Amino acid sequence: MYVRGIRGAITVKQNEESEILDATSELLKTIVKENDVNPEDICSVFVTVTHDITATFPARTIRQMPGWELVPLMCSLEIDVPGSLPKCIRLMVQVNTTKQQNEMKHVYLNEAVKLRPDLKSI
């Protein structure tokens, strides 16, 4: 058994609570589906946002998902590098698995596909 990190990112168009929560939920659900994991397999989820996302904590929506109540979550602010992708939510999902590193499916949605064009996006 290994602890593997699964990366993901998604952008929103507006700094609005409902859009941020919906996008975070979409991203996490896609990561879980693509990697065939469930909350019991998850060690923790680290969430970062760019400086222009302030309307809510993205982790709120994860906490409300069935089975995710006990998964440790942490939100943080992404480094504000000039020219970086705006309005972006990133997840680092740490999972217990028997899969190899190259079997992890990282997920980049909306404008976030620009972050890692070398990785296959959904």
Side-chain angles (χ1 to χ4, degrees), residues 31-112:
I31 289 171
V32 166
K33 179 182 174 196
E34 291 300 314
N35 288 280
D36 192 29
V37 296
N38 61 61
E40 196 62 33
D41 300 326
I42 307 296
C43 300
S44 62
V45 179
F46 189 58
V47 183
T48 66
V49 296
T50 49
H51 74 282
D52 46 9
I53 295 180
T54 59
T56 190
F57 294 102
R60 276 186 48 218
T61 195
I62 299 171
R63 182 69 60 228
Q64 296 169 359
M65 295 168 65
W68 289 83
E69 301 84 8
L70 299 177
V71 174
L73 306 173
M74 178 66 71
C75 288
S76 184
L77 190 60
E78 198 62 47
I79 299 169
D80 188 15
V81 175
S84 62
L85 186 64
K87 295 186 179 70
C88 188
I89 301 163
R90 293 173 173 88
L91 300 181
M92 172 69 77
V93 180
Q94 295 182 314
V95 59
N96 291 308
T97 183
T98 57
K99 293 180 182 179
Q100 297 298 309
Q101 189 70 35
N102 63 356
E103 295 178 272
M104 300 294 96
K105 296 178 184 171
H106 307 282
V107 177
Y108 294 87
L109 303 174
N110 300 347
E111 293 298 310

